[in-house]
Amino acid sequence: PRGAADNPYVTDINGVEGLNRQIVGPQKHAVVFCSASWCRTCRSLKPKYTKIAREAMAEVEDGRTSTPGDLDILDNEITFAEADTTGTNGKILSRYLDVEAVPAFVLFKSGKLYGEPLSISRLPSKKLNLAVELLRSGQEYDAAAIEALD
């Protein structure tokens, strides 16, 4: 497994305990990419997901530097994480998150589940973009609008 040192933009989540420690406990906004090492689609999404995470982090940093003293930008920060769904810990986490197939993206708002797991096989994804936009703007999850996108 790759460590955070390999990828400073995407946090590794290990099982339910890791999820609770890194997302739920600190009440973070987050996108968790649920994947499996054997999944070819997951492997193809990884570099694209990292790019999305890197760009999102850059946006937040740009926002911070252009608005000194504005702490509200911190509320918009989203943690991008990846969880391996293989092995005992991964299987328990999958059930906990209601993820039936990988690749899936699960969003969290202030440490609580936000919407449904999104089954997405291509990035960039309009569905994921809208879900993240709703999360970032503080709006309610809009399942109908997200499902309508492809």
Side-chain angles (χ1 to χ4, degrees):
R2 294 164 41 121
D6 295 347
N7 187 343
Y9 309 105
V10 178
T11 304
D12 275 325
I13 300 284
N14 186 346
V16 174
E17 188 270 330
L19 181 75
N20 287 333
R21 184 168 26 88
Q22 292 166 285
I23 309 286
V24 177
Q27 298 184 348
K28 290 188 173 176
H29 292 350
V31 177
V32 180
F33 171 30
C34 298
S35 66
S37 49
W38 50 260
C39 166
R40 186 179 282 150
T41 306
C42 299
R43 285 198 302 268
S44 76
L45 291 180
K46 262 185 199 188
K48 294 172 183 144
Y49 183 65
T50 298
K51 181 175 186 264
I52 291 168
R54 188 179 70 232
E55 287 169 358
M57 200 176 274
E59 271 175 37
V60 170
E61 283 166 4
D62 291 350
R64 257 194 223 143
T65 53
S66 66
T67 52
D70 180 10
L71 294 175
D72 291 345
I73 195 78
L74 292 172
D75 296 340
N76 294 345
E77 194 165 333
I78 293 179
T79 299
F80 287 83
E82 183 178 352
D84 189 347
T85 59
T86 58
T88 306
N89 277 350
K91 287 191 176 89
I92 293 168
L93 180 64
S94 292
R95 279 198 296 273
Y96 181 79
L97 294 176
D98 201 24
V99 168
E100 291 169 14
V102 292
F105 294 83
V106 181
L107 282 73
F108 286 84
K109 181 177 183 176
S110 304
K112 293 181 177 61
L113 275 173
Y114 182 71
E116 303 286 315
L118 296 171
S119 178
I120 293 170
S121 56
R122 273 205 308 276
L123 290 175
S125 155
K126 289 178 183 160
K127 282 184 182 183
L128 186 60
N129 290 352
L130 177 59
V132 168
E133 206 40 59
L134 291 171
L135 174 62
R136 191 172 263 150
S137 67
Q139 295 177 55
E140 289 299 309
Y141 186 84
D142 188 341
I146 291 166
E147 282 309 309
L149 296 171
D150 195 81

